[in-house]
């Protein structure tokens, strides 16, 4: 995992922020999603190249080493729409 951290740093992300504690790429909602699409492709390409499992949540977060069912994604989407700043421990899902 140490190698992937250096590769994440080398991506020079402007629209996504990596949360090391939860292993989540968080989208910066102050920017438009259309501007962040190229960055999203860079992130997913790097993760796929290193065989790291990830899942893309409806709130535009990218979670590493975890896959969610459709029901879990719907529930998380509802929570994120209620409050974008809500802290969710993704380990429970």
């Amino acid at each position: 995992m140490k190698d992937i951290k250096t590769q994440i740093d080398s991506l020079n992300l402007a629209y996504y922020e990596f949360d090391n504690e939860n292993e989540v790429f968080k989208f910066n909602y102050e920017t438009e999603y259309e501007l962040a699409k190229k960055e999203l492709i860079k992130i997913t390409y790097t993760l796929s190249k290193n065989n790291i499992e990830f899942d893309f949540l409806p709130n535009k977060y990218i979670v590493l080493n975890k896959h969610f069912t459709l029901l879990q994604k719907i529930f998380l989407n509802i929570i994120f729409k209620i409050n974008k700043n809500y802290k969710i421990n993704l380990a429970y899902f």
Side-chain angles (χ1 to χ4, degrees):
M1 191 68 167
K2 187 177 183 181
D3 182 41
I4 190 65
K5 289 180 186 175
T6 58
Q7 291 184 1
I8 290 170
D9 291 339
S10 69
L11 292 176
N12 298 324
L13 303 176
Y15 304 111
Y16 277 88
E17 178 184 333
F18 183 66
D19 181 2
N20 197 18
E21 180 182 326
N22 295 321
E23 295 184 337
V24 175
F25 284 95
K26 296 182 177 181
F27 179 69
N28 181 2
Y29 286 101
E30 295 175 2
T31 60
E32 290 186 29
Y33 185 60
E34 293 297 320
L35 299 173
K37 283 187 178 178
K38 288 183 182 179
E39 197 165 275
L40 175 65
I41 293 169
K42 285 191 326 187
I43 293 169
T44 55
Y45 174 76
T46 303
L47 295 175
S48 297
K49 185 172 78 172
N50 290 295
N51 296 325
I52 296 175
E53 291 184 19
F54 64 92
D55 203 355
F56 189 71
L57 296 179
N59 66 337
K60 301 175 186 70
Y61 280 22
I62 302 170
V63 182
L64 303 184
N65 302 316
K66 185 117 174 114
H67 283 283
F68 295 96
T69 64
L70 181 61
L71 187 61
Q72 289 172 324
K73 286 183 180 183
I74 292 170
F75 179 70
L76 286 170
N77 192 26
I78 292 169
I79 290 175
F80 284 121
K81 285 189 181 209
I82 292 171
N83 186 358
K84 291 181 182 176
N85 296 323
Y86 186 72
K87 285 205 159 234
I88 298 174
N89 189 349
L90 296 173
Y92 294 120
F93 287 92

